[in-house]
Amino acid sequence: MSKYPFTEIEPKWQKYWEDNNSFRVEEDPSFPPEKRMYVLDMFPYPSGAGLHVGHPEGYTATDIYCRYLRMNGYNVLHPMGFDSFGLPAENYAIKTGTHPKATTEKNIEHFTKQIKSLGFSYDWSREIKTHTPEYYRWTQWIFLQLYKKGLAYESSAPINWCPSCLTGLANEEVNDGTCDRCGAQVEKKNIRQWILKITEYADKLLEGLDELDWPESIKAMQRNWIGRSTGADVKFKIEHLDKELTVYTTRPDTLFGATYMVLSPEHPLVDALTTDEHKSAVEDYLRAASLKSDLERTDLAKEKTGVFSGSYAINPVNEQKIPIWIADYVLISYGTGAIMAVPGHDERDWEFAKVFNLPIIEVLQGGNIDEAAFTGDGLHVNSGPLDGLGKQEAIDKITAWLEGQELGEAAVNYKLRDWIFSRQRYWGEPIPLVHCPDCGIVPVPEDQLPLTLPEVESYEPSGTGESPLARIEEWVNTSCPVCGKAAKRETNTMPQWAGSCWYYLRYLDPMNEGEFVNEAVQDYWMPVDLYVGGSEHAVLHLLYARFWHKVLFDLGVVKTSEPFERLINQGLITSFAYQRPNKSLVPVDEVEEKSETEFIEIATGESVIQTIAKMSKSLKNVINPDDIIAEFGADSMRLYEMFMGPLRVSKPWQTKGLTGVHRFLDRVWRAAEKPITSETAPESLEKVLHKTIKKVTHDTAELEFNTAISQMMIFINEQFKSEKLYKSVWERFLLLLAPYAPHIAEELWEKLGNEPSVTKRDWPVYDEAMTIENLVTVVIQVNGKLRDKIELARGTDKAEMEKLALASEKVKAHTSGKNIIKVIAVPDKLVNIVVK
RNA sequence: GCCGGCGUGGUGAAAUUGGUAGACACAGCAGACUCAAAAUCUGCCGGGGGCAACUCUGUAUCGGUUCAAGUCCGAUCGCCGGUACCA
């Protein structure tokens, strides 16, 4: 394959852009507000593995879009940085003793080099790294604002504990009972933690979603995660005990069907409610439950277990005595940790009642409660005053009655839990608080920020679960900022999410030493007009960032209620892999390709099928962008990632497919070697150019890059037929190509004798009239089937079309001897003749 | 189970408001150039039937609406992502 000299021109133009600060951006007031765009990529965690092909996908998309916007007269903010606190560097430090800062900065250097080798138009002068004291000073400052607003509290409730990361995890960081980061089994553990009251913002986070231009799937995930439900809290009296038991239910209308109650094993009243007679059985059950992991309590164990406490509660609506059970299918973390069980109309309660032979009463008609719980709507029965009412009416009526009797009240609950914000680790932002024996918890004064990380000798967390910082005496021991007495620093650090919660704000004003971001600069750019990244951040990062932003909004320090106006998830880049008949996957290098559709596993000789899988080291199907750039060039890499398919869907990488776009660029290069003329181009070529400008303009604006590239290929195939290169046509084509393949476009632009740089030129315009053909192909159908095609002048009227259509010999063959019922003519499109 | 999304050639994919299904590529086949190969250029390329003109059929499956359905509606099957004892 002949290769155009991309190895020379790509570094040449990257150096040119850098030397000329081509992409540096300022808050220039001459751009009207609607011509200011903030286009943001999710910044990477600088892992030791370097860039993978997934990173450049989103980055290329935004780069093309930004270059396109600049050529259309926009002032574009397009920054890049690094999410550089994080566990892998610390774990590496534990293993090798290398300072996480050294590892991190080396990785950043590598990432920067890789990112720059793709020719992206970032304003590098705004680069931020979350691990630098200049940056995390303000992360700490924001934490203090949350603390002062009462949104941060200490607690030692049982939390998710990862025994491998030796740190606490938020609910959303646990997948199937395993740690989101390392995959280890998560345990329950009591340890002192800092927690952020994200639940206080549950409603705001929910409502804010409505106004956002985000994918529905992501909004649905966040709504589902917040999990708002409405119902009622109901108080139950307990027989022979002066205590009340409050339960939360979404179905207070089924109160007459409550035949027993269930407490979570961790419920505070368990002890008091257990009678002597049942004590040993209950204790055995509690012990067994505490030993179960989350995974065993949920995924694996659908079989209901439980134990009777010996006590009874009184149903407030009918004074019925109902037994109180203890069972681990009730979670302490949701609602009140206790439920009223209505086995007739709740699947879980039904299953439990079947196992323990508890009574099942029908209070709502419509199902067969001997077979299964009925959860639909219907008329109430056996429910006293609710009889004959439907679901919603009954809920309203009983809730009002409970409130009147002071037996309960309407209530709202959320699945969302507060956010465990502290990590017992070294490589994160120190939480800027001091524990004083007299004054209690005291914030570090803002003018003493940043509170920097001390040097440590060992990165191993202390055996007690405390952070390695706890062992640095000279750092931990400090004086109280209020009373001056000896005090101790908080030794927990912040989770990795902290830095990424607000980085988009710091890009606006990265050098500001007096405030986290200047107000006028915010007004100029915010909110983020387009945010592009992977859907793996659908709940975690995107929910946390929205939470912080809303807090900052309520504090009056940011002006928009939402940070990211429009969000797009790029699809995952997958790879081919091979699958055995039992569905297990085989690494690529253990398979031989017999033919296009036949593959065998070398070791066994068994045939396997080709399938699509995530890239992974174990499947040996990971593609390294460096190799691709070395062999085909950055422009080919960029173009291929966009040509593979729509940005938003996942698609498999095929290096073979890359040759197509590489050949296209090679053709562009060779086309430029033809003799240049300033003569007027033939109309046919000029027309193809206008169509190309139209399509590329539309598709680039809509981020439909794959079809824009197809159209440029059509243009070059047309241009290639010509012996000459028409300067005016060629120039405009190079401008279209520039956002997509900026290096070759710059080089060929210069080769035409033009001043660099193409990035500063105006986007070409098209003439609508030139995109329209005078002759159109009109299709003639008989009963909807294609029978003939005729070339007609554009705008031929219906009557004429019908006449010509009926005159067609091919049509006559299908209409002769039949009755023409109807003729439909769509101008410039088709004629359909309906016959019988 | 629930929520969200997707099913189009050998492969990646196009199809703007319902109006020629498969643009643009990859792979394949044939030819040109070449001593030869690579590269390049040209042509063919959903399936069945036919020497051919042509014809039947085809967008996961079944049904519906319409002059006309990949596109709209209903049901079913399959795949992907999320979530799951949240009362």
Short mmCIF file of all heavy atoms in Angstrom, two decimals, chain A residues 121 210 243 266 286 343 353 385 462 506 516 543 626 663 748 785:
data_model
loop_
_atom_site.label_atom_id
_atom_site.label_comp_id
_atom_site.label_asym_id
_atom_site.label_seq_id
_atom_site.Cartn_x
_atom_site.Cartn_y
_atom_site.Cartn_z
N SER A 121 -7.50 19.61 19.27
CA SER A 121 -7.36 21.07 19.39
C SER A 121 -7.70 21.58 20.79
O SER A 121 -8.52 22.46 20.95
CB SER A 121 -8.26 21.74 18.35
OG SER A 121 -9.62 21.41 18.58
N ASP A 210 -35.51 16.74 34.12
CA ASP A 210 -36.53 17.03 33.11
C ASP A 210 -36.07 18.04 32.06
O ASP A 210 -36.42 17.93 30.90
CB ASP A 210 -37.82 17.54 33.76
CG ASP A 210 -38.44 16.48 34.66
OD1 ASP A 210 -38.14 15.29 34.42
OD2 ASP A 210 -39.20 16.82 35.57
N LYS A 243 -44.17 0.63 73.38
CA LYS A 243 -43.38 1.14 72.26
C LYS A 243 -44.23 1.08 71.00
O LYS A 243 -45.20 0.31 70.93
CB LYS A 243 -42.12 0.29 72.08
CG LYS A 243 -41.05 0.57 73.15
CD LYS A 243 -39.69 0.29 72.57
CE LYS A 243 -38.57 0.95 73.29
NZ LYS A 243 -38.26 0.69 74.61
N GLU A 266 -31.31 -5.99 61.84
CA GLU A 266 -30.54 -4.90 62.47
C GLU A 266 -31.45 -3.86 63.13
O GLU A 266 -30.97 -2.84 63.62
CB GLU A 266 -29.67 -4.20 61.42
CG GLU A 266 -28.59 -5.07 60.79
CD GLU A 266 -29.09 -5.88 59.59
OE1 GLU A 266 -30.27 -5.71 59.18
OE2 GLU A 266 -28.32 -6.70 59.06
N LEU A 286 -29.96 -13.99 64.10
CA LEU A 286 -29.22 -12.74 63.93
C LEU A 286 -27.77 -13.02 63.60
O LEU A 286 -27.18 -12.37 62.75
CB LEU A 286 -29.29 -11.88 65.20
CG LEU A 286 -30.66 -11.37 65.60
CD1 LEU A 286 -30.53 -10.41 66.79
CD2 LEU A 286 -31.37 -10.66 64.44
N PRO A 343 -49.41 -10.35 52.58
CA PRO A 343 -49.05 -11.43 51.65
C PRO A 343 -50.01 -11.57 50.47
O PRO A 343 -49.62 -12.08 49.42
CB PRO A 343 -49.07 -12.68 52.55
CG PRO A 343 -49.85 -12.29 53.76
CD PRO A 343 -49.65 -10.82 53.93
N ALA A 353 -45.02 -15.84 53.62
CA ALA A 353 -46.20 -16.41 54.29
C ALA A 353 -46.36 -17.88 53.94
O ALA A 353 -46.75 -18.70 54.77
CB ALA A 353 -47.45 -15.63 53.89
N PRO A 385 -64.21 0.45 55.64
CA PRO A 385 -64.62 1.65 54.90
C PRO A 385 -64.02 1.75 53.51
O PRO A 385 -64.46 2.57 52.71
CB PRO A 385 -64.14 2.80 55.80
CG PRO A 385 -63.07 2.21 56.65
CD PRO A 385 -63.45 0.78 56.85
N SER A 462 -3.10 1.33 57.78
CA SER A 462 -2.83 0.76 59.09
C SER A 462 -3.83 -0.37 59.34
O SER A 462 -4.94 -0.33 58.83
CB SER A 462 -2.97 1.83 60.16
OG SER A 462 -4.28 2.34 60.13
N ARG A 506 -13.28 24.55 37.01
CA ARG A 506 -11.92 25.07 37.14
C ARG A 506 -11.28 25.36 35.78
O ARG A 506 -10.44 26.24 35.67
CB ARG A 506 -11.07 24.06 37.93
CG ARG A 506 -9.72 24.60 38.38
CD ARG A 506 -9.83 25.83 39.28
NE ARG A 506 -8.52 26.34 39.71
CZ ARG A 506 -8.34 27.46 40.41
NH1 ARG A 506 -9.38 28.20 40.75
NH2 ARG A 506 -7.14 27.86 40.76
N PHE A 516 -12.41 29.95 43.54
CA PHE A 516 -12.39 28.70 42.77
C PHE A 516 -12.73 28.92 41.31
O PHE A 516 -12.25 28.20 40.44
CB PHE A 516 -13.25 27.61 43.44
CG PHE A 516 -14.72 27.69 43.15
CD1 PHE A 516 -15.34 26.69 42.43
CD2 PHE A 516 -15.50 28.74 43.63
CE1 PHE A 516 -16.71 26.72 42.17
CE2 PHE A 516 -16.86 28.79 43.38
CZ PHE A 516 -17.47 27.79 42.65
N LEU A 543 -24.11 11.93 38.72
CA LEU A 543 -25.00 12.27 39.82
C LEU A 543 -24.26 13.10 40.88
O LEU A 543 -24.77 14.10 41.37
CB LEU A 543 -25.57 10.99 40.44
CG LEU A 543 -26.74 11.15 41.40
CD1 LEU A 543 -27.97 11.66 40.65
CD2 LEU A 543 -27.07 9.84 42.09
N ASP A 626 -1.38 3.68 19.73
CA ASP A 626 -0.02 4.01 19.26
C ASP A 626 0.36 3.20 18.03
O ASP A 626 0.96 3.71 17.08
CB ASP A 626 1.01 3.73 20.37
CG ASP A 626 0.85 4.68 21.55
OD1 ASP A 626 0.12 5.68 21.41
OD2 ASP A 626 1.45 4.41 22.60
N ARG A 663 -7.01 4.52 2.54
CA ARG A 663 -6.98 4.64 1.07
C ARG A 663 -7.61 5.96 0.63
O ARG A 663 -7.13 6.59 -0.31
CB ARG A 663 -7.79 3.50 0.45
CG ARG A 663 -6.94 2.37 -0.03
CD ARG A 663 -7.82 1.27 -0.58
NE ARG A 663 -7.22 0.00 -0.23
CZ ARG A 663 -7.86 -1.15 -0.20
NH1 ARG A 663 -9.16 -1.19 -0.46
NH2 ARG A 663 -7.23 -2.26 0.12
N LEU A 748 -1.98 20.19 2.65
CA LEU A 748 -2.40 20.42 1.27
C LEU A 748 -2.85 21.87 1.04
O LEU A 748 -2.70 22.41 -0.04
CB LEU A 748 -3.53 19.44 0.89
CG LEU A 748 -3.11 17.97 0.90
CD1 LEU A 748 -4.28 17.07 0.54
CD2 LEU A 748 -1.94 17.72 -0.07
N LYS A 785 -45.34 -2.20 -6.67
CA LYS A 785 -44.11 -2.88 -7.10
C LYS A 785 -43.44 -2.08 -8.19
O LYS A 785 -44.08 -1.64 -9.14
CB LYS A 785 -44.45 -4.29 -7.60
CG LYS A 785 -44.70 -5.21 -6.44
CD LYS A 785 -44.87 -6.63 -6.90
CE LYS A 785 -45.16 -7.52 -5.70
NZ LYS A 785 -45.63 -8.84 -6.13
#
